[in-house]
Amino acid sequence: MDIREVKVNAAGEVTDVMINGNTYSMEKAVEFAKSGKIKGAKIEARHNGEHYISHLGDMELTQLPRFV
């Protein structure tokens, strides 16, 4: 599975990702990454304990093309 595009909120946080033409929440994408389905995903935690994908390999997730 490859993340091709991201949806970003007003605060600049990625909220959703597009994988193979399907849209998934960040929470679901983290589940995919933890199970090894998204290669090279770096998972980090916010201060509130919420997990998110910050990087794919050496690229920040926010550098990917965006969708609305």
Side-chain angles (χ1 to χ4, degrees):
M1 301 180 114
D2 292 320
I3 298 174
R4 300 287 183 184
E5 297 179 49
V6 296
K7 186 174 187 179
V8 180
N9 66 16
E13 299 170 335
V14 175
T15 59
D16 300 275
V17 299
M18 187 170 293
I19 301 172
N20 301 332
N22 296 307
T23 302
Y24 299 96
S25 67
M26 179 56 73
E27 293 81 13
K28 188 66 176 174
V30 168
E31 288 178 30
F32 288 149
K34 285 181 176 179
S35 67
K37 293 180 181 176
I38 300 175
K39 304 279 188 267
K42 181 178 180 185
I43 300 170
E44 295 192 26
R46 291 190 169 81
H47 293 288
N48 65 3
E50 179 182 69
H51 288 92
Y52 67 100
I53 299 172
S54 64
H55 290 76
L56 288 176
D58 59 352
M59 180 186 298
E60 288 184 30
L61 209 59
T62 56
Q63 293 176 307
L64 291 173
R66 296 183 181 185
F67 71 94
V68 284

